[in-house]
Amino acid sequence: MNEFFTLKNETTSQDLTPFVSSMAWSGSIDEGARKLDVVIAYNTMDKSFILPKIDVGDSLKLTYHTQETPDQEITIFVGKIFLMDRASRSYTMEIAAYDNMIYLVKSHESYNYSDMAARDIIAHVCKMLGVTQGDLSCKDLDT
């Protein structure tokens, strides 16, 4: 089975896949946010090279596809660009993007809860931080 990934700038609707020279998606159960490090071709010296439209704050989407069903995509990562560093000698741009969990990780909010279901705690924290909550119908959140 042939597999492939695509990278799209959701802000500009540009497919960045042809520009990607390397990519690393990281994070663990011990970390709140996931990170996507990408190196793209970025040549300002060659006038025939069409520069990708990309900037800090843009939203990136990484998707997974199989050759058998190339039109079906599985979203692996969605996040915002926090850092861009141009390496002029190698004609590349290094990009660091984080998913939206980074905002909760960096939050300095502190709450104490007792006698509340996890679902209600999550809903309250999301409301206080202005974060859209996902599906909270899981039975495990009743405790």
Side-chain angles (χ1 to χ4, degrees):
M1 171 170 42
N2 292 330
E3 307 165 317
F4 63 98
F5 293 89
T6 58
L7 182 66
K8 183 177 180 184
N9 184 334
E10 293 284 285
T11 305
T12 63
S13 300
Q14 184 178 19
D15 181 6
L16 298 173
T17 309
F19 298 97
V20 175
S21 64
S22 68
M23 197 168 25
W25 176 52
S26 62
S28 74
I29 197 164
D30 297 323
E31 300 170 10
R34 300 296 181 255
K35 182 180 181 186
L36 182 65
D37 289 305
V38 183
V39 178
I40 61 170
Y42 201 88
N43 187 345
T44 57
M45 300 301 287
D46 183 351
K47 299 303 178 197
S48 65
F49 184 83
I50 299 171
L51 294 173
K53 297 174 184 160
I54 194 161
D55 204 355
V56 171
D58 286 358
S59 180
L60 296 182
K61 181 179 180 181
L62 176 64
T63 54
Y64 166 83
H65 308 261
T66 64
Q67 200 69 33
E68 290 76 26
T69 56
D71 293 334
Q72 292 180 346
E73 63 181 36
I74 298 171
T75 301
I76 303 294
F77 175 89
V78 176
K80 292 197 184 292
I81 297 172
F82 277 72
L83 177 69
M84 295 175 63
D85 186 23
R86 195 170 129 228
S88 56
R89 286 187 175 180
S90 61
Y91 302 108
T92 61
M93 177 81 71
E94 297 176 7
I95 298 166
Y98 292 90
D99 67 12
N100 285 338
M101 190 66 172
I102 193 72
Y103 297 112
L104 293 178
V105 170
K106 298 294 183 184
S107 163
H108 296 287
E109 302 295 321
S110 176
Y111 302 100
N112 289 315
Y113 297 96
S114 61
D115 299 324
M116 286 180 72
R119 173 182 294 103
D120 297 331
I121 294 170
I122 293 168
H124 180 258
V125 171
C126 288
K127 182 178 179 184
M128 296 301 293
L129 296 175
V131 175
T132 303
Q133 73 184 38
D135 179 13
L136 299 178
S137 63
C138 175
K139 288 184 181 183
D140 291 338
L141 295 177
D142 291 336
T143 59

